[in-house]
Amino acid sequence: MEQITIKDVAKACGVGVSTVSRAINDHPNINEETKQLVLDKIRELGYVPNNSARNLKRSEGKAIAVLVKGMTNPFFNVMVKIMEEDIISRGYTMVLQHVDPKEDEADVALELTKEKRLSGIVFLGGIVTRTGEKLGQLNVPYVVSTIGAPLEGVREDEYSSVAVDDEREGKKATKFLLDKGYRKIAIFAGAEDDTSVGMLRLSGYKKAYEEAGITPDERLIRYLPKDNEEYSFDTGYASAKKLIEEGVDFDAVFAIADVMAVGACRAFLETGRKIPKDVAVMGFDGIDLTRFYLPSITTVAQPIKQMAIETSRLLFEVIEGKKHKHLVFEAVITERETT
């Protein structure tokens, strides 16, 4: 019989690994009902926390944790690979941690610092409204990467950041389509209560319309469903299908992630729409797939490699005692066949 792991317990409970860890460690930041659910499931499955392994983890040497919210997005895969190479070349190990869409990555980071002796943390993706109180409990330096807004409740001299100006780039993308004559541009945004890059790119979309003196149809703003708030091929496909089924009049789509743009293209082609004759499509990120998809997809290309390199460099500068910095990169519109 295979040994039950903490991941098995998390899956059985429908919660994240960090939530199971909080229940096991009697952490105050977990409600009693969830805690009891986890403890009951632990007894049912016969899971035994491996204290020896946990103590070993605590005694590990130099390690950098990379927390990724959005592992389904190839954009992050490229960044992780580049950072891992740099981290290893400096004599450190990398701890890669997936953060579920509904999890608070600050909580996950705090749990990791209890389990491992970390030298630093990188946050990739996620929300911008983490509380300063939680992040203030981290006893290691951290860099927030790919999040183009200041963290709430955290002074800028307490952390480093690497990003593009997501609002500016969202505005630039929308203006690009408006300048090409498209007027009914649907945007595939994040969740309706999004406080991350999705909110910022949507804000840029609205500003571009405002400056053009045009009021967009509110039905053109498509939010991710509550049951699936990840940027993915599936959500892009589903959003396009729903747009068509509802009979909304549109002539272009701006998807705030390339993976959603790819999914949208698939839906349009399946329903007999020609791209870009019937509908133009534009993505955001600049992943390699946009070059090789047929038709090739116009995108707002972030400088992925440079951002990854600078994320790692800034973290090690702070580890060495240097001051925190905040770098903002320029994205470039790469026009291809879909526009």
Side-chain angles (χ1 to χ4, degrees), residues 126-167:
I127 59 174
V128 297
T129 53
R130 303 183 191 87
T131 65
E133 180 184 353
K134 288 182 184 178
L135 290 173
Q137 295 174 37
L138 290 175
N139 57 3
V140 296
Y142 61 93
V143 176
V144 175
S145 187
T146 70
I147 301 169
L151 300 182
E152 287 188 5
V154 187
R155 297 200 320 266
E156 289 199 350
D157 62 353
E158 294 178 340
Y159 73 101
S160 295
S161 66
V162 175
V164 296
D165 184 330
D166 287 288
E167 183 177 67

Coordinates of all heavy atoms in Angstrom, one line a residue, residues 126-167:
G126 N -0.2 36.4 -8.7 CA -0.9 36.5 -7.4 C -1.5 37.9 -7.2 O -1.5 38.8 -8.1
I127 N -2.0 38.1 -6.0 CA -2.8 39.4 -5.7 C -1.9 40.5 -5.2 O -0.7 40.2 -4.8 CB -3.9 39.1 -4.7 CG1 -3.2 38.5 -3.4 CG2 -4.9 38.1 -5.2 CD1 -4.2 38.4 -2.2
V128 N -2.4 41.7 -5.3 CA -1.6 42.8 -4.8 C -2.1 43.3 -3.5 O -1.5 44.2 -2.9 CB -1.6 44.0 -5.8 CG1 -1.0 43.6 -7.1 CG2 -3.0 44.5 -6.1
T129 N -3.1 42.7 -2.9 CA -3.7 43.2 -1.7 C -3.4 42.3 -0.5 O -4.1 42.0 0.4 CB -5.2 43.3 -1.8 OG1 -5.8 42.1 -2.2 CG2 -5.6 44.4 -2.7
R130 N -2.2 41.7 -0.6 CA -1.7 40.9 0.6 C -1.6 41.9 1.8 O -1.2 43.1 1.6 CB -0.4 40.3 0.4 CG -0.3 39.4 -0.8 CD 1.1 38.7 -0.9 NE 1.2 38.0 -2.2 CZ 1.6 38.6 -3.3 NH1 1.9 39.9 -3.3 NH2 1.8 37.9 -4.4
T131 N -1.9 41.5 3.0 CA -1.8 42.4 4.1 C -0.4 42.6 4.5 O 0.4 41.6 4.6 CB -2.6 41.9 5.3 OG1 -2.1 40.7 5.8 CG2 -4.1 41.6 4.9
G132 N 0.0 43.8 4.9 CA 1.3 44.0 5.4 C 1.6 43.3 6.7 O 2.8 42.9 6.9
E133 N 0.6 43.0 7.4 CA 0.7 42.3 8.7 C 1.3 40.9 8.4 O 2.2 40.5 9.1 CB -0.6 42.2 9.4 CG -0.5 41.5 10.7 CD -1.9 41.3 11.4 OE1 -2.9 41.8 10.8 OE2 -1.9 40.6 12.4
K134 N 0.8 40.2 7.4 CA 1.3 38.8 7.1 C 2.7 38.9 6.6 O 3.5 38.1 7.0 CB 0.3 38.2 6.1 CG -1.0 37.8 6.7 CD -1.8 37.1 5.6 CE -3.2 36.7 6.1 NZ -4.0 36.1 5.1
L135 N 2.9 39.7 5.6 CA 4.2 39.8 5.0 C 5.3 40.3 6.0 O 6.4 40.0 5.9 CB 4.2 40.7 3.7 CG 3.4 40.1 2.6 CD1 3.3 41.2 1.5 CD2 4.1 38.9 2.0
G136 N 4.8 41.1 6.9 CA 5.7 41.6 7.9 C 6.3 40.5 8.9 O 7.3 40.7 9.5
Q137 N 5.6 39.4 8.9 CA 6.0 38.2 9.7 C 7.1 37.4 9.0 O 7.7 36.6 9.7 CB 4.8 37.3 10.0 CG 3.7 38.0 10.8 CD 2.5 37.1 10.9 OE1 2.6 35.9 11.1 NE2 1.3 37.7 10.9
L138 N 7.3 37.6 7.7 CA 8.4 36.9 7.0 C 9.7 37.4 7.5 O 10.0 38.6 7.5 CB 8.2 37.1 5.5 CG 7.1 36.5 4.8 CD1 7.0 36.9 3.3 CD2 7.1 35.0 4.9
N139 N 10.5 36.4 7.9 CA 11.9 36.8 8.4 C 13.0 36.6 7.4 O 14.1 36.5 7.7 CB 12.2 36.0 9.7 CG 12.1 34.5 9.4 OD1 11.9 34.1 8.2 ND2 12.3 33.7 10.4
V140 N 12.6 36.6 6.1 CA 13.5 36.5 5.0 C 13.2 37.5 3.9 O 12.0 37.9 3.8 CB 13.5 35.1 4.4 CG1 14.0 34.0 5.4 CG2 12.1 34.7 3.8
P141 N 14.2 38.0 3.2 CA 13.9 39.0 2.1 C 13.1 38.3 1.0 O 13.1 37.1 0.8 CB 15.3 39.3 1.6 CG 16.2 38.2 2.0 CD 15.6 37.7 3.3
Y142 N 12.3 39.1 0.3 CA 11.5 38.6 -0.8 C 11.3 39.6 -1.9 O 11.5 40.8 -1.7 CB 10.1 38.2 -0.3 CG 9.2 39.3 0.3 CD1 8.3 40.0 -0.5 CD2 9.3 39.6 1.6 CE1 7.5 41.0 0.0 CE2 8.5 40.6 2.2 CZ 7.6 41.3 1.4 OH 6.8 42.3 1.9
V143 N 11.1 39.0 -3.1 CA 10.9 39.8 -4.3 C 9.5 39.5 -4.9 O 9.2 38.3 -5.0 CB 12.0 39.6 -5.4 CG1 11.7 40.3 -6.7 CG2 13.3 40.0 -4.9
V144 N 8.7 40.5 -5.2 CA 7.4 40.3 -5.9 C 7.6 40.5 -7.4 O 8.0 41.6 -7.8 CB 6.4 41.2 -5.3 CG1 5.1 41.1 -6.0 CG2 6.2 41.0 -3.8
S145 N 7.4 39.5 -8.2 CA 7.7 39.6 -9.6 C 6.4 39.4 -10.4 O 5.5 38.5 -10.0 CB 8.7 38.5 -10.0 OG 9.1 38.7 -11.3
T146 N 6.3 40.1 -11.5 CA 5.1 40.1 -12.4 C 3.9 40.7 -11.8 O 2.8 40.4 -12.3 CB 4.9 38.7 -13.0 OG1 4.3 37.8 -12.0 CG2 6.1 38.0 -13.6
I147 N 3.9 41.4 -10.8 CA 2.8 42.1 -10.2 C 3.0 43.6 -10.3 O 3.8 44.1 -9.5 CB 2.6 41.7 -8.8 CG1 2.4 40.1 -8.7 CG2 1.4 42.4 -8.2 CD1 2.4 39.6 -7.3
G148 N 2.3 44.3 -11.2 CA 2.6 45.7 -11.5 C 1.9 46.7 -10.6 O 1.4 47.7 -11.1
A149 N 1.9 46.5 -9.3 CA 1.3 47.5 -8.4 C 1.9 47.4 -7.0 O 2.3 46.3 -6.6 CB -0.2 47.3 -8.3
P150 N 2.0 48.5 -6.3 CA 2.5 48.4 -4.9 C 1.7 47.5 -4.0 O 0.5 47.3 -4.2 CB 2.4 49.8 -4.4 CG 2.3 50.7 -5.7 CD 1.6 49.8 -6.6
L151 N 2.3 46.8 -3.1 CA 1.6 46.0 -2.1 C 1.0 46.8 -1.0 O 1.6 47.8 -0.6 CB 2.6 45.0 -1.4 CG 3.3 44.0 -2.3 CD1 4.2 43.1 -1.5 CD2 2.4 43.2 -3.2
E152 N -0.2 46.5 -0.7 CA -1.0 47.3 0.3 C -0.4 47.0 1.7 O -0.1 45.9 2.1 CB -2.4 46.9 0.3 CG -3.2 47.5 -0.9 CD -4.7 47.2 -0.7 OE1 -5.1 46.7 0.3 OE2 -5.4 47.6 -1.7
G153 N -0.1 48.1 2.4 CA 0.3 48.0 3.8 C 1.8 47.6 4.0 O 2.2 47.2 5.0
V154 N 2.5 47.7 2.8 CA 4.0 47.3 2.9 C 4.8 48.5 2.3 O 4.5 49.0 1.2 CB 4.3 46.0 2.1 CG1 5.7 45.6 2.3 CG2 3.3 44.9 2.5
R155 N 5.7 49.0 3.1 CA 6.6 50.1 2.6 C 7.5 49.6 1.4 O 7.9 48.4 1.4 CB 7.5 50.6 3.7 CG 6.7 51.2 4.9 CD 7.6 52.2 5.6 NE 9.0 51.7 5.8 CZ 9.4 51.0 6.9 NH1 8.5 50.7 7.8 NH2 10.6 50.5 6.9
E156 N 7.8 50.5 0.5 CA 8.5 50.1 -0.7 C 10.0 49.8 -0.3 O 10.7 49.1 -1.2 CB 8.5 51.2 -1.8 CG 7.1 51.2 -2.4 CD 7.1 52.0 -3.7 OE1 8.1 52.6 -4.1 OE2 6.1 51.9 -4.5
D157 N 10.4 50.2 0.8 CA 11.8 49.8 1.2 C 11.9 48.5 1.9 O 13.0 48.1 2.5 CB 12.4 50.9 2.0 CG 11.7 51.2 3.4 OD1 10.6 50.6 3.6 OD2 12.2 52.0 4.2
E158 N 10.8 47.8 2.0 CA 10.7 46.5 2.7 C 10.7 45.3 1.7 O 10.8 44.1 2.2 CB 9.5 46.4 3.6 CG 9.5 47.4 4.7 CD 8.3 47.3 5.6 OE1 7.2 46.8 5.1 OE2 8.3 47.8 6.8
Y159 N 10.6 45.5 0.4 CA 10.6 44.4 -0.5 C 11.1 45.0 -1.9 O 11.1 46.2 -2.1 CB 9.2 43.8 -0.7 CG 8.2 44.7 -1.4 CD1 7.9 44.4 -2.7 CD2 7.6 45.8 -0.7 CE1 7.0 45.2 -3.4 CE2 6.7 46.6 -1.4 CZ 6.3 46.3 -2.7 OH 5.4 47.1 -3.4
S160 N 11.4 44.1 -2.8 CA 11.8 44.4 -4.2 C 10.7 43.9 -5.1 O 9.9 43.0 -4.8 CB 13.1 43.8 -4.5 OG 14.2 44.3 -3.7
S161 N 10.7 44.5 -6.3 CA 9.7 44.1 -7.3 C 10.2 44.2 -8.7 O 11.0 45.1 -9.0 CB 8.4 44.9 -7.1 OG 8.6 46.3 -7.5
V162 N 9.6 43.4 -9.6 CA 10.0 43.4 -11.0 C 8.7 43.2 -11.7 O 7.9 42.2 -11.5 CB 11.0 42.2 -11.4 CG1 11.2 42.2 -12.9 CG2 12.3 42.4 -10.6
A163 N 8.3 44.1 -12.7 CA 7.1 43.9 -13.4 C 7.0 44.9 -14.6 O 7.9 45.7 -14.7 CB 5.9 44.3 -12.4
V164 N 6.0 44.7 -15.4 CA 5.7 45.8 -16.4 C 4.6 46.6 -15.7 O 4.0 46.2 -14.7 CB 5.1 45.2 -17.7 CG1 6.2 44.3 -18.4 CG2 3.9 44.3 -17.5
D165 N 4.3 47.8 -16.3 CA 3.1 48.6 -15.8 C 1.9 48.0 -16.5 O 1.6 48.3 -17.6 CB 3.4 50.0 -16.2 CG 2.3 51.0 -15.7 OD1 1.1 50.5 -15.5 OD2 2.6 52.1 -15.5
D166 N 1.2 47.1 -15.8 CA 0.1 46.4 -16.4 C -1.1 47.3 -16.8 O -1.7 47.0 -17.9 CB -0.4 45.3 -15.4 CG 0.5 44.2 -15.2 OD1 0.6 43.4 -16.2 OD2 1.2 44.1 -14.2
E167 N -1.3 48.3 -16.1 CA -2.4 49.2 -16.6 C -2.0 49.9 -17.9 O -2.8 50.0 -18.8 CB -2.7 50.3 -15.5 CG -3.8 51.2 -15.8 CD -4.2 52.2 -14.7 OE1 -3.3 53.1 -14.4 OE2 -5.3 52.0 -14.1

